[in-house]
Amino acid sequence: MNEFALVWEHRDMILIGFQNTLLIVVLGTVGSLVLGVLLTIPLMSRRRGPALIGTIYVDAMRCVPFLLFAYLLYFALPSLGLDFDNWWTGVVALILYNGAYMAELFRGAWANLPKELIEAGQAYGFTGWVLLRRIILPPVIFAAIPLVGNQLIQIVKDSAFLTIIAVAELTHEATSLQTTYFVPFASFLAVVFLYWLTCLSIESTVGYANRLAEVRR
Amino acid sequence: MTDDQTTMSQLAVQQRPVILEVSGLSKSFGANPVLRDISLKIHKAETVCLLGPSGSGKSTLLRCMNWLEQPDGGTVFLAGQPLGARPGGGLRMRDKELAAMRTRIGMVFQHFALWPHMSVLQNVMEAPVHVLKQTKDEARATAVSLLQRVGLAGKMDSFPARLSGGQKQRVAIARALAMKPEVILFDEPTSSLDPELVGEVLAVMQDLVREGMTMVVVTHEMGFARDVASRVVFMDGGHIVESGPPDQFFEAPQTERARQFLMRYAARNN
Ligand SMILES: Nc1ncnc2c1ncn2[C@@H]1O[C@H](COP(=O)(O)OP(=O)(O)O)[C@@H](O)[C@H]1O
Ligand SMILES: [Mg+2]
């Protein structure tokens, strides 16, 4: 019981980690959704060049363990002359990595869209960006909501790996707490509880969005 | 109608301007020739019913008329202006030019193809606002009056998923009308409806005929074709086999293939 009291005493550390995790997850979510949508466009393109480039990117990301990718980026960005600190490197890693998964989800939803729905858009004079924005992407996104929900939870879990590049997120703070005060069980249990809370709120938000989307599919 | 009157009204139709013309149209899917040298003129305020067995190329012909399907040969003219390809064929129009011409042609699909993420009202306003660049107020006023006209004023804020098939198709017709098209193409508009819902859609279409809309209708509703078509075009194997006034087509078909088609149809519906 002593252990938990100790963790409670140093709760500000854990809370800083929690704050960082939440912020990183929110940025990672927004960024990977945007990247996912943008990547879906070349993936679904009838032109071979863009489709190939999109596919190579998505496949490359999906076959690298996130841990390694975060490491790679951490060392690669400075040598490319990009001066990101650990925190932003972590966010960029999450976005680049999960954006590929998002793109794949959206691509699947797009491919399953009834063809006539898009043709109706074309028949009524929609083209290019307006066709995409008004006719194609909204139903694609509505259809993908449940799978996007799963991916958001993946982002939360991936964010824990950012401890290896010393981002002060939840896992990182728990680790330093336990190495300083030798309270592994209590500190890890505390952060597991916070991760669990985060995922629970993501799930209920996604569930709510899904109910809104239901009638629009 | 006496023969004389038929001839007179046919004559009158021929003198009206041609809204849509296809000339020498051909189309294959791979090695499968689906349209072979089709030529057809649709005059203003005509209702042309396209009949024919399944697989005869009716949908493909309709879809070539607005270049949803790109023909391999031949030309489509909208009010005398080539559509899709540049005059003389070959070169494809730019997407923007093609889109601009498509706004003048309405299309109603077999499976409705309403945009599921928009309310009924938004479905009808969408293209007028985002393609024709009408103001929202203007588009809304038109949409509301069209929805009243097709009997769906009470459903304006519903989403398509909440409507019956007949209601969906009436929304789709209102969506077409909102563009004030010069011609509307219908591809089996009642084929995916429960039998008891067919009537409400045909009634709306009959209204359009009465008001002088120009329409091309692929249909298996022989009653509709017989009652309201100004001309019946019978297709088989990618050819136009026979074309004429409905009285003639149904009472005295000129070709063996049309006779067989009508007999098979009669047998199925007895
Ligand atoms: N997109 C397509 N790809 C390949 N074959 C097609 C395609 N669309 C239609 N066809 C073929 O073309 C023929 C005519 O089809 P269609 O125009 O739909 O006939 P109908 O509407 O008269 O039933 C059929 O044999 C059909 O299988
Ligand atoms: Mg068909």
Side-chain angles (χ1 to χ4, degrees), chain A residues 116-117 119 124 127 134 216, chain B residues 63 107 115-117 126 176:
Chain A
E116 277 192 342
L117 195 156
E119 286 178 346
Y124 282 82
T127 49
R134 302 292 315 179
R216 294 171 170 79
Chain B
R63 292 161 57 80
M107 190 167 217
W115 298 308
H117 55 293
E126 182 67 11

Side-chain angles (χ1 to χ4, degrees), chain B residues 84-158:
Chain B
R86 299 193 178 273
L91 224 55
R92 199 179 196 280
M93 264 183 172
R94 285 190 302 147
D95 279 358
K96 288 278 176 217
E97 297 173 279
L98 178 57
M101 289 190 79
R102 278 173 169 166
T103 63
R104 298 160 56 192
I105 306 175
M107 190 167 217
V108 174
F109 295 79
Q110 180 174 354
H111 300 289
F112 327 117
L114 294 178
W115 298 308
H117 55 293
M118 296 176 202
S119 71
V120 162
L121 182 65
Q122 286 172 317
N123 260 279
V124 180
M125 289 171 60
E126 182 67 11
V129 170
H130 292 278
V131 177
L132 299 183
K133 308 290 179 196
Q134 292 177 7
T135 66
K136 282 203 171 149
D137 288 341
E138 186 187 357
R140 185 178 295 111
T142 313
V144 167
S145 80
L146 286 171
L147 286 169
Q148 274 162 357
R149 182 167 149 194
V150 300
L152 286 172
K155 294 284 181 187
M156 282 194 295
D157 296 321
S158 301

Side-chain angles (χ1 to χ4, degrees), chain B residues 54-55 57-60 110 187-188 218 220:
Chain B
S54 160
K58 307 180 297 295
S59 295
T60 307
Q110 180 174 354
D187 193 358
E188 301 201 29
V218 174
H220 292 290

